[in-house]
Amino acid sequence: MLPKIQGTSRLIVLLLTASAFGAPQVPPAELVRERRPEVTRRTLARAAVGDETRKYWIYFTDKGLFDSAALESALDDRAARLDPHASRRRSNVLGSARVDFHDVEVFAPYVQQLERLGVEVCRRSRWLNAVSVRGPVANLRQVGQQPFVQRVVPVGVHRTSSAVPGPPGLPAPPQSIGDLFDYGNSRGQLDEIGVVEAHRHGYSGAGVIVAMLDTGFDWDQPVFAPIVEDGRMLAQYDFVDGDGETHNEAGDADAEHAHGTLTWSALAGLDEGELVGPAWGASFLLAKTEDVNGESQIEEDNWITAAEWADDHAADVI
């Protein structure tokens, strides 16, 4: 049974990734160099010569830590830099340790050596102990022969099928005595999953930090005004264009932030009589990770980097 935490909504059910649950501890004895050249050769042999646009994950064999003292020092340093909110969340699932091997950053000298071999390092992931890179296949083959490289894997590609049409509009369900809000058309869907009753008992998502990873966000819409005015939009970052603005900017497609705006409003919008989200009282981190110009391999590493960014900013939920 979940403990009842004051002001914390149980309505949001997607839990934070590995660091929230606690990835297994890796004893120093297992932090040895592991060589798997057959994986590297097979992967790169299939790559077309001159295919410089394709991106690859380069997984490292280790993090440059080969004794207990070095590991303990790295973990202490990481724990000291935790956000207080993140520290409390992690203590609930990891106990006093709060951090583990997966929280240690990738070993910088390995990254520098890859750059010297002529590939562009795009993203770094401490959780995967890997970096995504782009470069000529000839250079990538050199990368695959380095003693600190465990394996080379293409960054994943996913292509969606045709969009499914939405349901027809339905009349607004009637309000009931005791409703906290005039829910408008939101009431039916919220009541179906018990949200209306939860709101009556004081649950709003208050105290919970939620990270939204999507196409961008039109955060100056009226439904988000309570979040913005209360200072509950804690941080934002555009991992597609590499800047601190998730709202549409010059050069963006007109509807670029549409999907993110829809999902965020469904979760947390508040405009009585029109829209009420289940977690209208939560705080938010906004990350633009999806490029609407097409499903491409860049989005996988953007997503992973954004998930680690969210963890750094004390997200409870992604």
Side-chain angles (χ1 to χ4, degrees), residues 101-184:
F101 175 76
H102 297 78
D103 292 303
V104 179
E105 300 292 344
V106 296
F107 192 45
Y110 294 165
V111 180
Q112 293 162 3
Q113 178 61 19
L114 297 188
E115 292 173 330
R116 284 194 288 269
L117 290 172
V119 296
E120 174 193 0
V121 176
C122 303
R123 301 293 183 197
R124 308 183 188 202
S125 171
R126 59 179 181 270
W127 291 348
L128 300 182
N129 192 24
V131 296
S132 64
V133 305
R134 182 189 288 112
V137 170
N139 299 57
L140 287 164
R141 287 177 177 146
Q142 284 186 286
V143 166
Q145 296 305 312
Q146 300 308 302
F148 54 83
V149 171
Q150 182 190 62
R151 58 195 175 113
V152 179
V153 178
V155 171
V157 178
H158 172 70
R159 299 195 181 280
T160 59
S161 59
S162 299
V164 177
L170 299 174
Q175 301 296 305
S176 295
I177 296 174
D179 279 4
L180 191 64
F181 298 103
D182 175 1
Y183 288 96

Side-chain angles (χ1 to χ4, degrees), residues 210-221 223-229 231-236 245-247 257-270 275-287:
V210 182
M212 305 291 295
L213 278 56
D214 215 302
T215 63
F217 306 90
D218 188 1
W219 48 260
D220 59 0
Q221 287 289 327
V223 294
F224 303 127
I227 295 172
V228 175
E229 291 168 3
R232 290 185 285 113
M233 192 175 83
L234 303 179
Q236 59 176 324
E245 180 56 70
T246 59
H247 197 289
H257 52 18
H259 190 273
T261 302
L262 290 170
T263 57
W264 188 25
S265 64
L267 176 62
L270 182 58
L275 173 70
V276 178
W280 59 269
S283 299
F284 292 90
L285 305 166
L286 307 181

Side-chain angles (χ1 to χ4, degrees), residues 24-259:
Q25 293 286 327
V26 180
E30 296 182 13
L31 304 184
V32 296
R33 296 180 184 271
E34 181 182 359
R35 191 77 178 100
R36 298 182 183 176
E38 71 284 357
V39 176
T40 295
R41 285 200 295 267
R42 187 165 59 248
T43 298
L44 293 178
R46 291 196 294 264
V49 174
D51 182 8
E52 299 179 14
T53 61
R54 189 68 190 267
K55 295 173 72 178
Y56 291 86
W57 283 114
I58 310 299
Y59 288 84
F60 298 133
T61 56
D62 57 78
K63 292 188 174 182
L65 306 170
F66 300 106
D67 57 69
S68 297
L71 176 62
E72 193 67 28
S73 176
L75 294 178
D76 288 345
D77 177 68
R78 180 63 181 155
R81 292 185 285 114
L82 281 178
D83 178 280
H85 186 105
S87 183
R88 289 191 296 272
R89 170 179 58 76
R90 283 165 168 259
S91 294
N92 289 334
V93 290
L94 290 175
S96 59
R98 293 179 295 151
V99 296
D100 60 29
F101 175 76
H102 297 78
D103 292 303
V104 179
E105 300 292 344
V106 296
F107 192 45
Y110 294 165
V111 180
Q112 293 162 3
Q113 178 61 19
L114 297 188
E115 292 173 330
R116 284 194 288 269
L117 290 172
V119 296
E120 174 193 0
V121 176
C122 303
R123 301 293 183 197
R124 308 183 188 202
S125 171
R126 59 179 181 270
W127 291 348
L128 300 182
N129 192 24
V131 296
S132 64
V133 305
R134 182 189 288 112
V137 170
N139 299 57
L140 287 164
R141 287 177 177 146
Q142 284 186 286
V143 166
Q145 296 305 312
Q146 300 308 302
F148 54 83
V149 171
Q150 182 190 62
R151 58 195 175 113
V152 179
V153 178
V155 171
V157 178
H158 172 70
R159 299 195 181 280
T160 59
S161 59
S162 299
V164 177
L170 299 174
Q175 301 296 305
S176 295
I177 296 174
D179 279 4
L180 191 64
F181 298 103
D182 175 1
Y183 288 96
N185 284 324
S186 303
R187 194 182 192 285
Q189 65 195 38
L190 297 183
D191 192 45
E192 187 173 310
I193 59 174
V195 169
V196 173
E197 183 68 16
H199 282 174
R200 290 172 184 158
H201 285 81
Y203 290 98
S204 68
V208 176
I209 299 175
V210 182
M212 305 291 295
L213 278 56
D214 215 302
T215 63
F217 306 90
D218 188 1
W219 48 260
D220 59 0
Q221 287 289 327
V223 294
F224 303 127
I227 295 172
V228 175
E229 291 168 3
D230 293 349
R232 290 185 285 113
M233 192 175 83
L234 303 179
Q236 59 176 324
Y237 195 79
D238 180 346
F239 289 89
V240 175
D241 297 319
D243 59 54
E245 180 56 70
T246 59
H247 197 289
N248 265 19
E249 297 180 279
D252 290 342
D254 290 343
E256 187 156 317
H257 52 18
H259 190 273

